[in-house]
């Protein structure tokens, strides 16, 4: 039996469907990576918006995420169940903020986000251990997204500097 079995109620509430990244978090191995992968097309479409529209959607995704992650974790009685991946959607969205919609940069952003989300350097690890509920589930990935955004922007700047 799995360490944290997926409740059969997965389709009983729309919050569960959103929290699991439209079901992408149900992958038996590496659900966070599959959740981030599922976020790529959605976030890539968002990159076509003006930055203000993208930011508004990102803020809405954070607020919705706090609710759906909290509800799902409480109902399933497991803090940050591995299948809860909406936070990965938001983290990738932060990582790619203000990025030109280029497949190479999107792929690099994906890698940078997964590195910071998996490694959880301080203070991400502290947040992961000490802040609970929907806010806690979201916060560590929000900060991982910020770290990845900085790394990605530095990578883009370095690339353009080298290519001049």
């Amino acid at each position: 039996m799995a360490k944290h079995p997926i409740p059969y109620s997965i389709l009983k509430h729309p919050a569960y469907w959103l929290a699991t990244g439209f079901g992408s978090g149900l992958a038996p191995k590496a659900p966070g990576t599959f959740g981030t992968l599922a976020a790529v097309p959605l976030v890539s479409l968002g990159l076509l918006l003006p930055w203000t529209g993208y930011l508004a959607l990102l803020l809405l995704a954070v607020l919705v995420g706090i609710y759906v992650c909290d509800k799902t974790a409480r109902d399933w009685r497991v803090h940050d169940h591995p299948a809860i991946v909406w936070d990965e959607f938001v983290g990738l969205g932060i990582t790619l903020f203000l990025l030109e919609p280029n497949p190479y940069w999107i792929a690099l952003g994906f890698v940078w986000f997964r590195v910071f989300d998996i490694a959880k350097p301080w203070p991400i690890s502290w947040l992961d251990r000490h802040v609970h509920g929907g806010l806690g589930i979201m916060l560590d990935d929000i900060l991982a997204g910020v770290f990845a955004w900085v790394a990605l922007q530095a990578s883009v700047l370095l690339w353009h500097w080298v290519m001049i």
Side-chain angles (χ1 to χ4, degrees):
M1 183 164 188
K3 182 178 177 185
H4 298 294
I6 306 294
Y8 290 109
S9 61
I10 185 69
L11 298 177
K12 283 188 177 180
H13 198 286
Y16 305 162
W17 189 241
L18 258 183
T20 62
F22 312 108
S24 61
L26 301 175
K29 301 266 189 210
T33 299
F34 278 95
T36 307
L37 206 55
V40 169
L42 200 63
V43 174
S44 296
L45 279 174
L47 292 174
L48 302 175
L49 295 171
W51 74 268
T52 53
Y54 186 91
L55 183 60
L57 280 178
L58 194 54
L59 291 174
L60 179 64
V62 168
L63 294 175
V64 166
I66 292 170
Y67 168 74
V68 301
C69 292
D70 187 67
K71 174 161 183 50
T72 304
R74 284 181 193 274
D75 290 356
W76 292 2
R77 294 185 173 95
V78 178
H79 171 68
D80 206 357
H81 190 289
I84 297 174
V85 295
W86 186 256
D87 48 334
E88 271 76 17
F89 277 64
V90 170
L92 184 67
I94 292 168
T95 302
L96 300 181
F97 181 60
L98 298 176
L99 186 75
E100 60 181 271
N102 172 317
Y104 299 109
W105 298 133
I106 292 169
L108 185 58
F110 174 90
V111 170
W112 275 123
F113 175 68
R114 292 309 301 146
V115 165
F116 286 108
D117 188 36
I118 293 167
K120 295 194 187 317
W122 187 91
I124 298 168
S125 57
W126 186 91
L127 288 170
D128 189 46
R129 286 190 313 272
H130 293 92
V131 183
H132 301 288
L135 181 63
I137 293 170
M138 293 294 294
L139 262 182
D140 68 305
D141 285 79
I142 288 170
L143 194 53
V146 170
F147 280 33
W149 182 85
V150 170
L152 182 58
Q153 294 301 315
S155 300
V156 170
L157 285 173
L158 182 62
W159 173 259
H160 288 298
W161 181 73
V162 167
M163 295 309 290
I164 293 178

